[in-house]
Amino acid sequence: MVNFIIKASSILSIFAYLYIELNFLKITRYKVLSEKIPNAFKGYKILQISDLHNKTFGKENKRLFKIICSENPSIIVITGDIINRRIYDDKEALNLVKKLTSKYDVYYVTGNHEVWSNKYEELRPKLLDTGVKILNNETIKLFKGDEYISLIGIDDPGKGFYSKTEKALTLKYLDFALNNVSPDCFKVLLAHRPEYFSIYANNEIDLILSGHAHGGQVRIPFLGAIYIPNQPFFSKLSKGKFIRKNSTMIISGGLGTSKLPIRAFNLPEVVTITLN
């Protein structure tokens, strides 16, 4: 009887832990310093959400919405995969985006799940109806007074594996988006895929915001992520802050899951980046 109780308690503890890892939210805050950031943008806060994959936090995402509002961001950016192509349902994601656009300027780029779903042509007008600004291989200027920073967004290359075609598309999209962009301005890139960091850095992007990797979903303490799509085992480009040349990349660990509904040592996260 004692052994049964111990085993039952262990099983319940495991399920409780897995529930916490899937449903508790954390905020990860970063600061990015650069002499290229205009004075008007000192303290400017970008809030990033990524890889929602249909996930909800509370009824109608009330917990997620409350946490986002508590950070009082200057803008919100969504770096792809708001839906899950395997179980397609855009209702909750669209409701959340609509609530966010009622309070903030929100910018969005596609992830691989939007592309793979083959339903993006249906999703795009629905997103536009929410008021979100979709960046489709383009650059816009964000002004504060007479000063500005450049916000760049590129589409996901959408082939599902690391290939010359995907790499070529990423180069093509970025080259198109950077057309006529001043090299002297501070440039922020929204790009779903972190594995192309070298491409972004070679194009002298100051700050890259990515997702896709979900932090590996399952992480091992002190070792990090085991598996990340399109990357070697135990790759470091799973979540966090990375620097290459003069470029900083911040990878969100994401909010939802894909394939297996499991996260371990890897709470869903909302990311904020404050410019200084």
Side-chain angles (χ1 to χ4, degrees), residues 172-191:
K172 178 182 177 181
Y173 293 162
L174 189 56
D175 183 61
F176 188 84
L178 289 173
N179 187 36
N180 295 324
V181 175
S182 168
D184 298 325
C185 71
F186 185 78
K187 296 181 283 294
V188 181
L189 171 67
L190 310 183

Side-chain angles (χ1 to χ4, degrees), residues 17 215-227 234 236 238 264-266:
Y17 169 75
Q217 285 195 194
V218 174
R219 299 177 68 85
I220 298 176
F222 309 111
L223 290 178
I226 303 170
Y227 169 75
F234 293 101
K236 298 298 182 184
S238 59
F265 301 101
N266 184 26

Side-chain angles (χ1 to χ4, degrees), residues 24-28 67 239 255 265-271:
F24 279 52
L25 284 160
K26 74 170 185 175
I27 302 171
T28 305
I67 282 180
K239 70 175 181 178
L255 292 162
F265 301 101
N266 184 26
L267 288 173
E269 71 174 352
V270 171
V271 169

Side-chain angles (χ1 to χ4, degrees), residues 88 90 94 121-132:
Y88 188 90
D90 58 26
L94 289 168
E121 292 307 312
E122 299 174 24
L123 178 63
R124 178 181 168 85
K126 294 179 184 178
L127 280 167
L128 290 172
D129 284 344
T130 69
V132 71

Side-chain angles (χ1 to χ4, degrees), residues 13 33 37 55 73 101 103 118 132 192 203 238 261 270:
S13 296
L33 285 71
I37 296 172
K55 175 67 177 168
T101 58
K103 294 194 65 171
N118 292 319
V132 71
H192 185 65
N203 279 273
S238 59
V270 171

Side-chain angles (χ1 to χ4, degrees), residues 97-98 101-102 104-107 125-134:
V97 175
K98 188 172 183 178
T101 58
S102 70
Y104 308 100
D105 288 331
V106 184
Y107 302 88
K126 294 179 184 178
L127 280 167
L128 290 172
D129 284 344
T130 69
V132 71
K133 299 171 179 65
I134 299 174

Side-chain angles (χ1 to χ4, degrees), residues 29-43:
R29 300 180 180 91
Y30 299 97
K31 289 184 179 180
V32 172
L33 285 71
S34 172
E35 293 180 355
K36 294 173 67 176
I37 296 172
N39 287 330
F41 283 84
K42 305 295 184 183

